[in-house]
Amino acid sequence: SWLLDPLRGAALGLLLAGLLAAVAVAGLLARERAQAVATQAVLLDRLEEQSAMLEEAALLAGLGSFTCDPETMAFAFREELFALWGVPAGSPLRDDPDVFATHVLEPQDQARVVAAFDEGLAHGGRHDVEFRIRRVDTGEQRHVRSTVEVVLGPDGRPARITGAQLDVSDLVAARHAAQDAGALHRAVLAASPDVVFVTDVREGRPVYVSPSVRQLLGREPEEILGAGTEGPSRHVHPDDVRVLAQATVQACALGDGGVWQTRYRVLHQDGHWVWVDRRATPFQRDADGTVRQLLGVLRDVSDVVAAEERLAHAALHDPLTGLPNRVLLAARLRGLVSAGGPRAAVVYLDLDGFKRVNDTAGHAAGDAVLCEVARRLQTAVRADETVARLGGDEFVVLLRGRDDDDGTLTAARRVLRVLDVPVQAGGSLHLVRASAGVVLVDGESDAEQLLADADTAMYRAKGLGKDRLQLFEASLRDELAERLRVERLLRAALQPVGPVPHPRGWPRLGLAYQVVVDERGVVVGVEALSRLTDDDGVPVPPDLFVGVAEESDLVQRLGAHVLERALRQLADWRRAAPGREALTMAVNVSAREASHPGFAAQVLAALERHRLEPADLVLELTETSLLEAGPTTLATLRRLHELGVRVAIDDFGTGYASLRYLTELPVDLVKVDRGFTAGLPHDAACATVVRAVAGMAEELGLGCVVEGVETQEQRDALPGGVHLQGYLLGRPLPADEVDLGVRLARR
Ligand code: C2E
Ligand code: CA
Ligand code: CA
């Protein structure tokens, strides 16, 4: 009955009660009268008194009674019956003994009524029949229930026939409405994937569960209901039993209409766990207001939970490799910091030359390499240790402390060794190495600091020549601070000067020029070298700020600045004196700068601006950066080279370029690294290298500059035909101090 709309249910209940009362009254009436015939006349008075009362009650109940003479079969209808049929007072129909059958009863129901009556006559007893009548006055159809009681005499023939009729139209209407409502509810429950249940709180037992439980749990409602006291929790996940119990307590504490929602797992018939959301509300209460029953709805939210889990996983993991990301790493590292025990290690890895894989083999191959590296790193650590990817080609490994620090560092070194074997990707093998910084968890630094320190150590490892492991030292932290200071200085110095000039003490970026002479001492070119001074006018070493620029977004701006100033200077020198048409200007270019898509256009535009020819410019790229240059960079250089711009390999001899490779590069000029010059004239190996490079350059039709010539002895030791650069010929100086005149001739 809980299914029914409460109002309709109440109406139905009321009507049912009324009907039962009326029927009881009718039965009582008949019995009393039968008795009255058989017993003494003393009772007659009381009987009449009672029957008067009963008749009144009957009238009140809308009950019309009649009698039928068993001998003549003539009916006698009482007033209330005519009222029920709508036969007005004074109507001739009132005198018609067949009025009921001919004018009132609907013809379709005639047969049933006659059958019921005949049944009564044949066997005696009480017979109920329900039928429709049409009211005489209004023509309205009504539903009537009739009770006929036949008392049989000793001969088995009817001795007394009494009856009563009651208008049950309202009842029937209510019953239909209830049936409709019931059907609606059943349909709703059947169509809904949600499961409706009612639980008896005290007994802890379900008393109703809707059929959709079949879909939700693959179980029959009867199975759930029959599960007994432990029913609700029998199929609940052990970890969720308490959650559910608490939810029930909470729901019972709610006022009417309140809903308590909770989520837990239930076992499906086929053995998998189903996540459900349960919304429960108080349903039935005891007189004192305690909740006796809870009504609830269960909804399958497994998909929602799975989606939430995926989201949570995505928030904490790198999508490419599936490794923990920075967020999860930080959490794990915090756990490691507070764990105590032997000193754990944070290993910060950055792949060397990974960009080259991307550039030469494509991004898909790059991704494949990263995934393979991720996989290998995981094989190098224990199950409870963490390998995370911070993005790009940076990974962090958290190692638990081994027996002692040496053991831990050995474990860290072993991590790097997984990259000894080349990685297969995009149809070719790639030898990827990594530079690693490692810091030991000392209980003083927090997670963030440890990560920063490991990162700092990694930078040092890179700076020292890659493919190595660097242990963090406090001094590296100062170095990092210094780099940050330099970056700030450089950024300020590169800020364009507006109408208001920079104040005094502002960091400044200037250019120094160093001459290049031919073997006779004639100045054939000038190299522009950047100079940065800090707020106090103290120079910052170029290797430092150029390195900082290369690591940040500043290198493009630095390069553009140098190119513009240097070309303007060359144009000025050309204008200042005749005979300088062959003088070239060399600028240093970082690999990152040359890889920028707009680089070639920028160079050509600058030449154009100063009315210079492409051949007036030399672009110097270090051997290392040329070796690591991707196809786009090489294409750019080739294009410039074909247009006449000269390209020089700087610091030649430090990058192990094969001679064959040299022929494939778009270069015009080789600059022998000053490290070799320093060994002259006594170091035989250096002398050999210088001679070999000079010979090879001549062979290939390339120019050759020997850098770092500081002494006359060194100059004398050089092979013929090479150009010279170095303190002996001129230090890097501001433009107005540079001497472009001929140098001393050779001995
Ligand atoms: P580099 O291109 O090899 O430049 C030559 C370096 O050797 C300069 O150092 C110069 O001062 C130094 N040098 C010249 N003659 C002698 C000598 O006889 N003996 C010794 N010991 N050294 C000599 P500097 O100016 O410190 O520059 C260092 C490096 O910084 C340069 O090496 C170059 O790679 C880079 N660099 C300088 N300016 C720029 C720039 O504007 N852009 C880029 N990308 N790199 C630059
Ligand atoms: Ca140079
Ligand atoms: Ca050089």
Side-chain angles (χ1 to χ4, degrees):
S1 73
W2 65 272
L3 287 175
L4 303 179
D5 178 297
L7 255 174
R8 284 198 174 148
L12 180 65
L14 220 71
L15 277 158
L16 270 171
L19 174 69
L20 289 173
V23 167
V25 163
L28 199 60
L29 180 80
R31 259 195 310 282
E32 290 281 351
R33 285 201 177 160
Q35 266 175 5
V37 178
T39 52
Q40 299 146 346
V42 234
L43 294 173
L44 266 173
D45 284 350
R46 211 147 57 93
L47 188 61
E48 248 157 45
E49 194 183 311
Q50 275 185 350
S51 67
M53 269 166 62
L54 286 169
E55 274 162 31
E56 198 172 327
L59 193 64
L60 278 173
L63 188 78
S65 61
F66 60 88
T67 56
C68 176
D69 188 325
E71 295 302 322
T72 64
M73 290 309 271
F75 283 94
F77 305 118
R78 290 194 61 94
E79 173 61 32
E80 308 85 60
L81 209 48
F82 287 123
L84 197 151
W85 295 342
V87 181
S91 160
L93 286 178
R94 289 213 172 197
D95 302 326
D96 179 353
D98 287 334
V99 59
F100 176 66
T102 53
H103 287 89
V104 179
L105 182 62
E106 288 279 21
Q108 315 92 286
D109 292 348
Q110 194 118 29
R112 275 194 305 116
V113 172
V114 171
F117 193 68
D118 287 350
E119 175 86 7
L121 292 182
H123 303 103
R126 204 163 79 187
H127 296 268
D128 287 348
V129 63
E130 211 175 291
F131 49 82
R132 286 158 292 177
I133 62 163
R134 195 160 293 278
R135 277 182 70 105
V136 174
D137 52 357
T138 58
E140 178 195 3
Q141 195 185 59
R142 308 287 295 176
H143 288 262
V144 168
R145 169 170 288 205
S146 173
T147 300
V148 176
E149 180 140 29
V150 178
V151 179
L152 298 180
D155 56 356
R157 289 163 42 84
R160 186 168 183 80
I161 306 166
T162 51
Q165 291 185 6
L166 180 71
D167 187 319
V168 292
S169 302
D170 290 350
L171 176 64
V172 169
R175 198 199 295 137
H176 284 153
Q179 276 165 357
D180 289 352
L184 176 69
H185 279 86
R186 274 191 302 279
V188 167
L189 288 177
S192 165
D194 295 346
V195 172
V196 178
F197 67 90
V198 177
T199 291
D200 186 298
V201 176
R202 215 166 314 143
E203 296 178 21
R205 192 170 60 79
V207 294
Y208 172 81
V209 60
S210 65
S212 28
V213 74
R214 286 189 203 106
Q215 285 88 292
L216 185 78
L217 299 179
R219 299 174 192 278
E220 289 301 315
E222 295 71 37
E223 186 195 344
I224 307 279
L225 296 179
T229 346
E230 49 152 358
S233 51
R234 190 166 70 170
H235 302 307
V236 172
H237 194 285
D239 293 351
D240 296 342
V241 170
R242 268 190 49 206
V243 173
L244 183 58
Q246 275 165 5
T248 297
V249 172
Q250 299 281 8
C252 288
L254 295 171
D256 286 339
V259 171
W260 190 267
Q261 188 165 352
T262 185
R263 185 174 285 188
Y264 58 97
R265 281 156 289 179
V266 194
L267 190 62
H268 191 279
Q269 178 69 42
D270 67 16
H272 75 272
W273 292 103
V274 180
W275 275 104
V276 294
D277 261 356
R278 184 180 91 150
R279 296 167 58 81
T281 185
F283 183 53
Q284 301 277 356
R285 291 181 191 272
D286 285 338
D288 65 355
T290 348
V291 174
R292 188 152 40 86
Q293 293 186 342
L294 283 179
L295 182 143
V297 178
L298 295 181
R299 172 170 294 187
D300 184 343
V301 290
S302 302
D303 289 352
V304 176
V305 171
E308 283 171 1
E309 279 171 358
R310 273 198 300 277
L311 272 180
H313 187 271
L316 296 176
H317 292 81
D318 163 44
L320 177 65
T321 61
L323 291 179
N325 65 9
R326 187 182 288 273
V327 180
L328 186 52
L329 171 74
R332 299 253 175 97
L333 187 49
R334 280 194 292 276
L336 208 56
V337 169
S338 52
R343 300 211 283 175
V346 182
V347 187
Y348 201 118
L349 291 115
D350 186 294
L351 302 186
D352 299 329
F354 173 70
K355 199 178 159 313
R356 193 179 159 81
V357 178
N358 261 343
D359 287 348
T360 57
H363 282 269
D367 285 355
V369 167
L370 290 174
C371 288
E372 173 61 10
V373 169
R375 193 192 64 76
R376 288 192 193 174
L377 290 176
Q378 279 170 299
T379 64
V381 304
R382 297 177 178 173
D384 59 347
E385 294 176 330
T386 299
V387 178
R389 179 174 173 230
L390 296 192
D393 55 358
E394 295 185 3
F395 296 85
V396 170
V397 177
L398 302 183
L399 296 175
R400 297 192 173 279
R402 304 297 193 255
D403 293 342
D404 52 23
D405 288 354
D406 276 351
T408 311
L409 289 174
T410 305
R413 247 172 241 118
R414 209 175 302 128
V415 169
L416 265 188
R417 294 282 68 86
V418 301
L419 298 175
D420 284 351
V421 182
V423 177
Q424 171 93 48
S428 50
L429 285 175
H430 304 271
L431 185 58
V432 266
R433 298 286 198 178
S435 302
V438 56
V439 63
L440 294 169
V441 177
D442 56 7
E444 277 167 34
S445 311
D446 59 13
E448 215 168 301
Q449 184 63 55
L450 287 166
L451 208 55
D453 289 348
D455 186 15
T456 306
M458 184 278 290
Y459 264 101
R460 167 45 68 90
K462 273 235 187 283
L464 289 178
K466 309 185 175 176
D467 186 20
R468 64 176 70 222
L469 187 101
Q470 170 72 44
L471 183 61
F472 173 78
E473 296 154 15
S475 63
L476 293 178
R477 220 179 265 166
D478 304 337
E479 195 176 298
L480 182 72
E482 172 64 0
R483 294 182 82 86
L484 288 174
R485 184 186 79 97
V486 168
E487 185 181 333
R488 188 184 55 76
L489 290 174
L490 191 58
R491 207 174 282 282
L494 279 167
Q495 240 171 55
V497 188
V500 184
H502 290 318
R504 277 175 72 91
W506 189 265
R508 266 168 222 285
L509 197 57
L511 281 184
Y513 298 93
Q514 186 177 31
V515 295
V516 178
V517 303
D518 66 11
E519 58 180 330
R520 294 163 299 145
V522 175
V523 176
V524 291
V526 175
E527 178 177 358
L529 294 160
S530 297
R531 295 289 176 261
L532 176 70
T533 50
D534 70 8
D535 337 53
D536 300 325
V538 178
V540 180
D543 285 320
L544 176 57
F545 73 81
V546 168
V548 167
E550 281 171 348
E551 276 166 22
S552 66
D553 55 336
L554 293 170
V555 74
Q556 245 90 259
R557 286 162 62 191
L558 174 66
H561 174 91
V562 172
L563 185 68
E564 178 63 21
R565 296 264 295 263
L567 291 182
R568 189 195 306 150
Q569 186 58 55
L570 179 63
D572 285 353
W573 273 326
R574 289 247 178 110
R575 267 194 301 276
R580 287 176 177 169
E581 292 76 25
L583 191 70
T584 60
M585 178 58 75
V587 297
N588 294 283
V589 176
S590 298
R592 215 173 132 184
E593 210 184 325
S595 72
H596 194 264
F599 179 68
Q602 178 202 328
V603 168
L604 296 173
L607 285 167
E608 180 103 17
R609 249 194 317 279
H610 299 289
R611 298 180 196 291
L612 291 167
E613 295 299 317
D616 296 332
L617 177 65
V618 179
L619 299 176
E620 297 191 1
L621 283 102
T622 63
E623 181 182 17
T624 329
S625 66
L626 277 173
L627 284 178
E628 284 175 3
T632 29
T633 308
L634 289 180
T636 302
L637 292 175
R638 193 159 286 123
R639 178 162 164 242
L640 288 168
H641 169 74
E642 279 160 9
L643 286 170
V645 174
R646 309 220 220 157
V647 178
I649 303 190
D650 206 349
D651 301 348
F652 191 80
T654 56
Y656 318 103
S658 76
L659 299 186
R660 206 181 93 74
Y661 189 57
L662 199 61
T663 63
E664 291 167 11
L665 289 174
V667 292
D668 305 89
L669 206 62
V670 181
K671 295 187 79 171
V672 182
D673 189 71
R674 64 176 184 269
F676 298 104
T677 320
L680 297 180
H682 308 295
D683 187 319
C686 286
T688 311
V689 170
V690 174
R691 229 177 303 117
V693 174
M696 178 202 66
E698 199 182 340
E699 200 91 340
L700 294 172
L702 306 176
C704 179
V705 180
V706 177
E707 297 185 310
V709 181
E710 295 183 0
T711 64
Q712 188 60 41
E713 276 181 310
Q714 288 171 342
R715 187 181 185 185
D716 294 343
L718 294 177
V722 298
H723 291 178
L724 289 63
Q725 188 177 357
Y727 293 167
L728 179 69
L729 299 318
R731 293 186 171 256
L733 292 168
D736 52 3
E737 296 173 29
V738 176
D739 174 9
L740 295 176
V742 181
R743 301 306 191 257
L744 288 175
R746 246 177 128 186
R747 166 179 44 157

